[in-house]
Amino acid sequence: MTNEFYMNRAIELAYKGTGYVSPNPRVGAVIVKNGVVIAEGWHKKFGAPHAEIDAIENCKGVDLSDATLYVNLEPCTHYGKTPPCTNAIIEKKFRNVVIGMTDPNPVVSGRGISILKDAGINVETDVLNEDCKWVNRFFIKNITTKLPYIIIKTAQSLDGNIATSKGESKWITSTESRKAVHTLRFEADAVLVGKRTVLTDNPSLTVRDVEGRNPIRIIFDSSLSLPVETGIFNDSASSVIVCCKPESSDGRKAEILKSMGINVLPVWQNNEGKLDIQDAITKLSREFNIASILVEGGASIFSSFISEKAFDEIHLFIAPIIVGKGISVFGDFQIHHLIEAPHLKIKGVIKRNTDLQVIAIKS
């Protein structure tokens, strides 16, 4: 078997930690000796043993001298929630370590590779590097910029509408598309919507059609005008954060919400009087340790994130229907010259029953 074969398996294992390890990276590990896989492991939850340690513990006393370790991310070198993985690798006398990508964390970056090489271990790097970067794109963005990775998700008609002219939007896309959206929800740390979406759809923003934990739920409501009886305020499925303008954050309504267990986050306003996107996502990362956000609507919110270029990835779930004059997905976003248009790269297109899921990343 090739290095690429075993690294693919390490990546598959890494995905098993989805939804549970953030803000840590998703990491999988495979141990091979004499051409045979003798153990596998992955990082299962934040604070739990790292993938390399999990795999080593799964060897059940097997002599690992001369074995090869495959791991999609450079082994750590520092004490955090757990001891350095490099120590255990050296102690077990691995002959080879094959690494998918260098850790972008400045505390580790390159040091793990150097320590292993200095210990006489053969190290090969950048095996399936782009695939390894993709599995940890949330972590890479967050650790290098201190900002969350932003995914915009739309469910729209073929002609780009998310609702009819009267606001009807349930359901534009198929059951299969909605299931894929629920997968996106449990992959992200948080899901974000605007006040209008809450008023119109009364969404729960929870994970229901697939297995996985519920994300933190974020609402942009600058004046805290949503009624306290709103459904999302009165269930305990997961934490709720309401972003509002500073003068609304210490009034009577804010105190009521706080007494209900709702987090109220003051956010500066931009020149248009809207909540400032960059201030919001900076505070959400810093104060709530949120490393990834799924933006689910509506049109005004979508347009604001596009206008501010505050996104990394877009998932368009497109149903084969024509709405005509309706609510355009990016209706509040406007440019005057094509050179001003955000440029994206198509990452993939997936058929979802009658729909298409188009995945695009900012180029």
Side-chain angles (χ1 to χ4, degrees):
M1 298 294 184
T2 64
N3 284 345
E4 287 75 14
F5 175 86
Y6 294 120
M7 189 60 68
N8 259 322
R9 179 55 183 161
I11 292 170
E12 289 177 3
L13 292 166
Y15 275 111
K16 290 177 175 285
T18 297
Y20 301 101
V21 300
S22 183
N24 280 355
R26 295 183 285 194
V27 185
V30 178
I31 298 175
V32 178
K33 186 170 182 178
N34 299 324
V36 177
V37 174
I38 58 174
E40 297 179 336
W42 68 92
H43 187 33
K44 292 181 171 61
K45 65 178 181 179
F46 182 72
H50 289 183
E52 302 93 318
I53 306 303
D54 187 46
I56 289 170
E57 290 177 349
N58 289 335
C59 285
K60 299 178 181 176
V62 174
D63 178 13
L64 297 180
S65 60
D66 296 333
T68 299
L69 171 68
Y70 292 86
V71 61
N72 60 294
L73 184 70
E74 177 183 8
C76 68
T77 61
H78 63 293
Y79 283 88
K81 295 283 185 182
T82 58
C85 292
T86 49
N87 290 3
I89 294 168
I90 293 168
E91 180 185 325
K92 293 297 182 180
K93 299 184 175 10
F94 280 89
R95 173 178 289 183
N96 309 295
V97 176
V98 181
I99 297 168
M101 63 170 284
T102 303
D103 193 333
N105 185 346
V107 175
V108 178
S109 189
R111 291 187 64 226
I113 294 168
S114 296
I115 288 171
L116 294 175
K117 286 182 175 180
D118 289 345
I121 296 172
N122 300 316
V123 179
E124 183 172 347
T125 60
D126 296 329
V127 176
L128 297 184
N129 182 262
E130 290 303 313
D131 293 334
C132 292
K133 286 181 178 177
W134 181 253
V135 70
N136 274 318
R137 62 198 187 279
F138 301 171
F139 172 72
I140 294 169
K141 167 83 179 288
N142 186 243
I143 201 69
T144 57
T145 68
K146 306 303 180 187
L147 293 173
Y149 190 95
I150 307 294
I151 299 175
I152 293 174
K153 177 244 91 181
T154 75
Q156 62 186 75
S157 63
L158 202 58
D159 55 342
N161 289 300
I162 58 173
T164 66
S165 58
K166 293 187 176 182
E168 184 182 347
S169 61
K170 291 186 177 181
W171 298 98
I172 285 180
T173 53
S174 66
T175 300
E176 286 78 2
S177 289
R178 295 197 295 275
K179 184 175 180 179
V181 169
H182 284 240
T183 298
L184 288 174
R185 282 184 186 172
F186 91 74
E187 287 181 340
D189 288 345
V191 57
L192 185 152
V193 296
K195 174 191 69 176
R196 193 177 306 168
T197 295
V198 176
L199 283 172
T200 303
D201 297 339
N202 190 28
S204 65
L205 304 178
T206 55
V207 173
R208 298 181 300 281
D209 294 339
V210 295
E211 273 192 42
R213 64 94 177 92
N214 290 318
I216 296 169
R217 297 168 293 175
I218 303 166
I219 303 168
F220 272 22
D221 182 9
S222 60
S223 299
L224 295 185
S225 59
L226 285 171
V228 295
E229 296 81 17
T230 301
I232 199 169
F233 293 153
N234 292 280
D235 69 55
S236 58
S238 65
S239 299
V240 176
I241 303 168
V242 182
C243 297
C244 65
K245 57 189 178 183
E247 55 266 39
S248 298
S249 66
D250 56 4
R252 172 67 178 157
K253 184 68 166 291
E255 291 304 315
I256 293 173
L257 290 173
K258 290 174 186 176
S259 71
M260 296 169 63
I262 309 300
N263 298 285
V264 177
L265 181 66
V267 172
W268 297 115
Q269 293 172 278
N270 60 23
N271 294 333
E272 298 176 355
K274 296 181 179 180
L275 295 183
D276 186 88
I277 300 293
Q278 293 298 333
D279 187 49
I281 62 178
T282 298
K283 288 174 177 175
L284 287 165
S285 175
R286 185 180 65 222
E287 299 183 26
F288 295 92
N289 215 16
I290 291 173
S292 55
I293 299 173
L294 178 66
V295 179
E296 288 208 38
S300 178
I301 293 290
F302 291 147
S303 298
S304 293
F305 274 83
I306 293 292
S307 296
E308 294 296 322
K309 297 183 174 61
F311 71 96
D312 300 284
E313 187 176 318
I314 298 179
H315 289 241
L316 306 176
F317 290 86
I318 304 171
I321 59 172
I322 303 294
V323 170
K325 187 177 181 180
I327 299 176
S328 173
V329 60
F330 299 117
D332 293 346
F333 173 67
Q334 185 179 32
I335 60 169
H336 299 289
H337 305 285
L338 285 176
I339 196 171
E340 301 168 358
H343 285 76
L344 299 98
K345 176 182 176 182
I346 301 298
K347 175 70 176 177
V349 179
I350 303 170
K351 189 82 161 54
R352 301 285 185 190
N353 193 7
T354 57
D355 306 336
L356 288 179
Q357 178 185 359
V358 179
I359 305 166
I361 55 176
K362 193 159 61 174
S363 61

mmCIF file of all heavy atoms in Angstrom, residues 320-339:
data_model
loop_
_atom_site.group_PDB
_atom_site.id
_atom_site.type_symbol
_atom_site.label_atom_id
_atom_site.label_comp_id
_atom_site.label_asym_id
_atom_site.label_seq_id
_atom_site.Cartn_x
_atom_site.Cartn_y
_atom_site.Cartn_z
ATOM 1 N N PRO A 320 -34.877 22.918 -8.703
ATOM 2 C CA PRO A 320 -35.257 23.172 -10.097
ATOM 3 C C PRO A 320 -36.657 23.769 -10.216
ATOM 4 O O PRO A 320 -37.562 23.197 -10.834
ATOM 5 C CB PRO A 320 -35.165 21.783 -10.733
ATOM 6 C CG PRO A 320 -35.511 20.855 -9.622
ATOM 7 C CD PRO A 320 -34.942 21.482 -8.375
ATOM 8 N N ILE A 321 -36.850 24.920 -9.593
ATOM 9 C CA ILE A 321 -38.121 25.630 -9.695
ATOM 10 C C ILE A 321 -37.837 27.094 -10.042
ATOM 11 O O ILE A 321 -36.747 27.604 -9.777
ATOM 12 C CB ILE A 321 -38.950 25.566 -8.387
ATOM 13 C CG1 ILE A 321 -38.162 26.181 -7.212
ATOM 14 C CG2 ILE A 321 -39.348 24.136 -8.067
ATOM 15 C CD1 ILE A 321 -38.987 26.321 -5.939
ATOM 16 N N ILE A 322 -38.816 27.737 -10.656
ATOM 17 C CA ILE A 322 -38.720 29.159 -11.002
ATOM 18 C C ILE A 322 -39.719 29.926 -10.144
ATOM 19 O O ILE A 322 -40.910 29.617 -10.138
ATOM 20 C CB ILE A 322 -39.027 29.394 -12.490
ATOM 21 C CG1 ILE A 322 -38.095 28.565 -13.375
ATOM 22 C CG2 ILE A 322 -38.938 30.884 -12.823
ATOM 23 C CD1 ILE A 322 -36.653 28.959 -13.312
ATOM 24 N N VAL A 323 -39.247 30.916 -9.419
ATOM 25 C CA VAL A 323 -40.105 31.710 -8.535
ATOM 26 C C VAL A 323 -40.510 33.031 -9.187
ATOM 27 O O VAL A 323 -41.587 33.552 -8.957
ATOM 28 C CB VAL A 323 -39.392 31.976 -7.184
ATOM 29 C CG1 VAL A 323 -40.142 32.998 -6.354
ATOM 30 C CG2 VAL A 323 -39.259 30.670 -6.406
ATOM 31 N N GLY A 324 -39.646 33.565 -10.040
ATOM 32 C CA GLY A 324 -39.942 34.859 -10.645
ATOM 33 C C GLY A 324 -39.631 35.986 -9.692
ATOM 34 O O GLY A 324 -38.572 36.018 -9.062
ATOM 35 N N LYS A 325 -40.559 36.902 -9.548
ATOM 36 C CA LYS A 325 -40.345 38.026 -8.643
ATOM 37 C C LYS A 325 -40.510 37.547 -7.205
ATOM 38 O O LYS A 325 -41.610 37.294 -6.721
ATOM 39 C CB LYS A 325 -41.330 39.150 -8.933
ATOM 40 C CG LYS A 325 -41.046 40.407 -8.124
ATOM 41 C CD LYS A 325 -41.996 41.537 -8.486
ATOM 42 C CE LYS A 325 -41.675 42.786 -7.684
ATOM 43 N NZ LYS A 325 -42.594 43.909 -8.020
ATOM 44 N N GLY A 326 -39.373 37.385 -6.518
ATOM 45 C CA GLY A 326 -39.402 36.917 -5.141
ATOM 46 C C GLY A 326 -38.347 37.630 -4.323
ATOM 47 O O GLY A 326 -37.963 38.761 -4.644
ATOM 48 N N ILE A 327 -37.870 36.985 -3.280
ATOM 49 C CA ILE A 327 -36.823 37.553 -2.436
ATOM 50 C C ILE A 327 -35.492 36.968 -2.899
ATOM 51 O O ILE A 327 -35.226 35.781 -2.725
ATOM 52 C CB ILE A 327 -37.076 37.234 -0.951
ATOM 53 C CG1 ILE A 327 -38.412 37.848 -0.513
ATOM 54 C CG2 ILE A 327 -35.931 37.767 -0.092
ATOM 55 C CD1 ILE A 327 -38.811 37.508 0.916
ATOM 56 N N SER A 328 -34.682 37.814 -3.505
ATOM 57 C CA SER A 328 -33.406 37.374 -4.067
ATOM 58 C C SER A 328 -32.417 37.068 -2.961
ATOM 59 O O SER A 328 -32.340 37.780 -1.951
ATOM 60 C CB SER A 328 -32.845 38.466 -4.977
ATOM 61 O OG SER A 328 -31.543 38.135 -5.415
ATOM 62 N N VAL A 329 -31.624 36.011 -3.154
ATOM 63 C CA VAL A 329 -30.718 35.548 -2.111
ATOM 64 C C VAL A 329 -29.720 36.625 -1.701
ATOM 65 O O VAL A 329 -29.422 36.789 -0.512
ATOM 66 C CB VAL A 329 -29.998 34.250 -2.557
ATOM 67 C CG1 VAL A 329 -29.183 34.445 -3.810
ATOM 68 C CG2 VAL A 329 -29.145 33.700 -1.437
ATOM 69 N N PHE A 330 -29.216 37.400 -2.643
ATOM 70 C CA PHE A 330 -28.282 38.478 -2.327
ATOM 71 C C PHE A 330 -28.858 39.818 -2.778
ATOM 72 O O PHE A 330 -28.149 40.681 -3.284
ATOM 73 C CB PHE A 330 -26.919 38.227 -2.989
ATOM 74 C CG PHE A 330 -26.240 36.958 -2.540
ATOM 75 C CD1 PHE A 330 -25.972 35.937 -3.436
ATOM 76 C CD2 PHE A 330 -25.879 36.781 -1.212
ATOM 77 C CE1 PHE A 330 -25.339 34.759 -3.021
ATOM 78 C CE2 PHE A 330 -25.260 35.612 -0.784
ATOM 79 C CZ PHE A 330 -24.990 34.606 -1.691
ATOM 80 N N GLY A 331 -30.154 39.985 -2.577
ATOM 81 C CA GLY A 331 -30.869 41.140 -3.097
ATOM 82 C C GLY A 331 -30.411 42.482 -2.573
ATOM 83 O O GLY A 331 -30.594 43.513 -3.240
ATOM 84 N N ASP A 332 -29.818 42.519 -1.390
ATOM 85 C CA ASP A 332 -29.365 43.789 -0.820
ATOM 86 C C ASP A 332 -27.910 44.099 -1.164
ATOM 87 O O ASP A 332 -27.377 45.131 -0.739
ATOM 88 C CB ASP A 332 -29.520 43.779 0.710
ATOM 89 C CG ASP A 332 -30.977 43.753 1.128
ATOM 90 O OD1 ASP A 332 -31.846 44.002 0.269
ATOM 91 O OD2 ASP A 332 -31.255 43.476 2.316
ATOM 92 N N PHE A 333 -27.282 43.212 -1.923
ATOM 93 C CA PHE A 333 -25.883 43.423 -2.328
ATOM 94 C C PHE A 333 -25.870 44.008 -3.730
ATOM 95 O O PHE A 333 -26.576 43.536 -4.617
ATOM 96 C CB PHE A 333 -25.117 42.103 -2.298
ATOM 97 C CG PHE A 333 -23.728 42.174 -2.856
ATOM 98 C CD1 PHE A 333 -22.749 42.907 -2.202
ATOM 99 C CD2 PHE A 333 -23.401 41.521 -4.037
ATOM 100 C CE1 PHE A 333 -21.461 42.973 -2.720
ATOM 101 C CE2 PHE A 333 -22.120 41.576 -4.549
ATOM 102 C CZ PHE A 333 -21.147 42.308 -3.893
ATOM 103 N N GLN A 334 -25.057 45.045 -3.919
ATOM 104 C CA GLN A 334 -25.050 45.701 -5.227
ATOM 105 C C GLN A 334 -23.641 46.131 -5.602
ATOM 106 O O GLN A 334 -22.881 46.635 -4.769
ATOM 107 C CB GLN A 334 -25.965 46.934 -5.195
ATOM 108 C CG GLN A 334 -26.112 47.621 -6.541
ATOM 109 C CD GLN A 334 -27.050 48.815 -6.461
ATOM 110 O OE1 GLN A 334 -27.135 49.485 -5.424
ATOM 111 N NE2 GLN A 334 -27.769 49.084 -7.537
ATOM 112 N N ILE A 335 -23.284 45.919 -6.864
ATOM 113 C CA ILE A 335 -22.028 46.435 -7.403
ATOM 114 C C ILE A 335 -22.347 47.209 -8.679
ATOM 115 O O ILE A 335 -23.417 47.043 -9.279
ATOM 116 C CB ILE A 335 -21.023 45.312 -7.723
ATOM 117 C CG1 ILE A 335 -21.600 44.349 -8.768
ATOM 118 C CG2 ILE A 335 -20.603 44.581 -6.454
ATOM 119 C CD1 ILE A 335 -20.576 43.371 -9.327
ATOM 120 N N HIS A 336 -21.439 48.070 -9.096
ATOM 121 C CA HIS A 336 -21.636 48.854 -10.322
ATOM 122 C C HIS A 336 -20.733 48.388 -11.450
ATOM 123 O O HIS A 336 -21.007 48.663 -12.616
ATOM 124 C CB HIS A 336 -21.383 50.334 -10.034
ATOM 125 C CG HIS A 336 -22.319 50.899 -9.003
ATOM 126 N ND1 HIS A 336 -23.660 51.112 -9.241
ATOM 127 C CD2 HIS A 336 -22.114 51.266 -7.710
ATOM 128 C CE1 HIS A 336 -24.244 51.601 -8.154
ATOM 129 N NE2 HIS A 336 -23.325 51.696 -7.210
ATOM 130 N N HIS A 337 -19.664 47.674 -11.099
ATOM 131 C CA HIS A 337 -18.723 47.200 -12.109
ATOM 132 C C HIS A 337 -18.362 45.752 -11.805
ATOM 133 O O HIS A 337 -18.192 45.376 -10.638
ATOM 134 C CB HIS A 337 -17.461 48.064 -12.117
ATOM 135 C CG HIS A 337 -17.735 49.529 -12.300
ATOM 136 N ND1 HIS A 337 -18.089 50.080 -13.515
ATOM 137 C CD2 HIS A 337 -17.733 50.550 -11.400
ATOM 138 C CE1 HIS A 337 -18.286 51.374 -13.364
ATOM 139 N NE2 HIS A 337 -18.074 51.681 -12.097
ATOM 140 N N LEU A 338 -18.235 44.936 -12.844
ATOM 141 C CA LEU A 338 -17.946 43.517 -12.652
ATOM 142 C C LEU A 338 -16.645 43.274 -11.910
ATOM 143 O O LEU A 338 -16.502 42.275 -11.205
ATOM 144 C CB LEU A 338 -17.900 42.807 -14.015
ATOM 145 C CG LEU A 338 -19.254 42.558 -14.675
ATOM 146 C CD1 LEU A 338 -19.074 41.942 -16.054
ATOM 147 C CD2 LEU A 338 -20.134 41.670 -13.806
ATOM 148 N N ILE A 339 -15.702 44.190 -12.036
ATOM 149 C CA ILE A 339 -14.424 44.018 -11.349
ATOM 150 C C ILE A 339 -14.598 44.024 -9.824
ATOM 151 O O ILE A 339 -13.756 43.540 -9.074
ATOM 152 C CB ILE A 339 -13.417 45.113 -11.789
ATOM 153 C CG1 ILE A 339 -11.989 44.708 -11.391
ATOM 154 C CG2 ILE A 339 -13.800 46.476 -11.212
ATOM 155 C CD1 ILE A 339 -10.926 45.604 -11.955
#
